Amino acid sequence: GSLGNDFRFVREDKANYEMDNDSITITQQGGNDLWTYDNTLENLLLFGNFDRSDLRTVVKIEGLPARKASGNWDTASFLLYAGDDDYITIGKKGHFDGFATVIEQAQSCTESGGNSSENAVTSAYVGFTVEGTTATMSFKVEGGEWTTAKTVDIGFLGDAYEIGFGAWGAGHNDVTYPEFRVGKASEQSYDDLLASDPITLCRSNTAPVIESVTFDAETYQVGDTATV
């Protein structure tokens, strides 16, 4: 099927992603980035149908980069995105310990790392909770508990930001985002949300079917017009 109505791509590159109803897999590309003036990230997938003042959203990321050298920029992120120069992210980066967060406002970035005990983690749930203009970025590794990475005021994102999925890096690894869910922070915990049905990324292209057709005559000659 084709991309669902509530989704859109920024800088789509069809050669470097695969998508089905339940997930998208993005192949990281060297030379891609989303950082201050360098906004070359391709296949940034965005979702826009949710309550921005009362939000809890979660996705699983498979293919998170493990900690590597300080100059390794492999990245897999979950975003709240108001534009290339205004967004927040949680995920992992090859040059940071643990789970990393980024806050970019008006092309000024603050990047933070996490706990080195999570350097080897390559699969985890990540999420955002938004109440008013306060956003909390969290993660959960296999067998672990939900952990807060950072809390930040996101008033600078305005009232039209979108939820995003983005991955890049010279490693050209595949990063998969399954189990995307969106709910209300006031009504659902992360565990409640994970017990609900995930959002479908694609809409089906179903051919129209005509049923119970009758004609106004039993036989026709060449050139006759038939009505139903």
Side-chain angles (χ1 to χ4, degrees):
S2 55
L3 189 65
N5 291 332
D6 295 322
F7 292 89
R8 70 182 182 97
F9 277 107
V10 173
R11 292 177 290 271
E12 182 179 13
D13 174 14
K14 293 182 178 180
N16 286 301
Y17 75 84
E18 294 183 357
M19 186 172 58
D20 58 29
N21 281 343
D22 302 317
S23 67
I24 182 169
T25 297
I26 300 169
T27 302
Q28 295 171 324
Q29 297 299 303
N32 276 207
D33 207 349
L34 190 65
W35 181 261
T36 62
Y37 297 95
D38 189 359
N39 298 318
T40 54
L41 175 61
E42 296 173 336
N43 292 329
L44 173 58
L45 179 62
L46 300 173
F47 176 81
N49 185 10
F50 58 95
D51 184 342
R52 288 162 179 80
S53 64
D54 183 16
L55 168 68
R56 198 181 311 274
T57 182
V58 61
V59 73
K60 190 175 187 181
I61 307 181
E62 299 170 347
L64 289 162
R67 177 71 159 93
K68 303 180 182 73
S70 58
N72 183 283
W73 312 118
D74 287 359
T75 299
S77 292
F78 193 37
L79 304 88
L80 297 184
Y81 173 94
D84 285 343
D85 301 319
D86 295 284
Y87 61 85
I88 66 172
T89 77
I90 181 168
K92 291 194 72 184
K93 293 176 174 285
H95 60 290
F96 265 105
D97 286 335
F99 285 80
T101 62
V102 177
I103 302 163
E104 179 168 341
Q105 181 176 0
Q107 295 187 333
S108 176
C109 277
T110 301
E111 197 172 31
S112 304
N115 194 319
S116 61
S117 65
E118 289 137 4
N119 283 358
V121 171
T122 58
S123 177
Y125 289 100
V126 294
F128 296 104
T129 299
V130 179
E131 297 168 295
T133 61
T134 300
T136 300
M137 297 178 263
S138 305
F139 64 90
K140 180 181 180 181
V141 301
E142 186 72 30
E145 301 294 327
W146 280 101
T147 301
T148 296
K150 188 178 285 292
T151 299
V152 60
D153 188 289
I154 58 167
F156 70 94
L157 295 182
D159 58 5
Y161 66 84
E162 297 163 281
I163 299 168
F165 315 81
W168 62 94
H172 295 274
N173 299 308
D174 287 341
V175 179
T176 301
Y177 295 84
E179 300 188 51
F180 172 47
R181 295 172 169 90
V182 174
K184 290 182 176 291
S186 62
E187 298 176 1
Q188 296 167 292
S189 67
Y190 277 122
D191 289 336
D192 292 336
L193 205 51
L194 288 174
S196 67
D197 292 334
I199 290 176
T200 299
L201 275 65
C202 299
R203 53 189 169 90
S204 59
N205 295 324
T206 305
V209 176
I210 300 174
E211 298 179 339
S212 303
V213 175
T214 58
F215 292 90
D216 61 352
E218 292 185 3
T219 61
Y220 293 91
Q221 301 297 319
V222 174
D224 289 349
T225 299
T227 58
V228 297

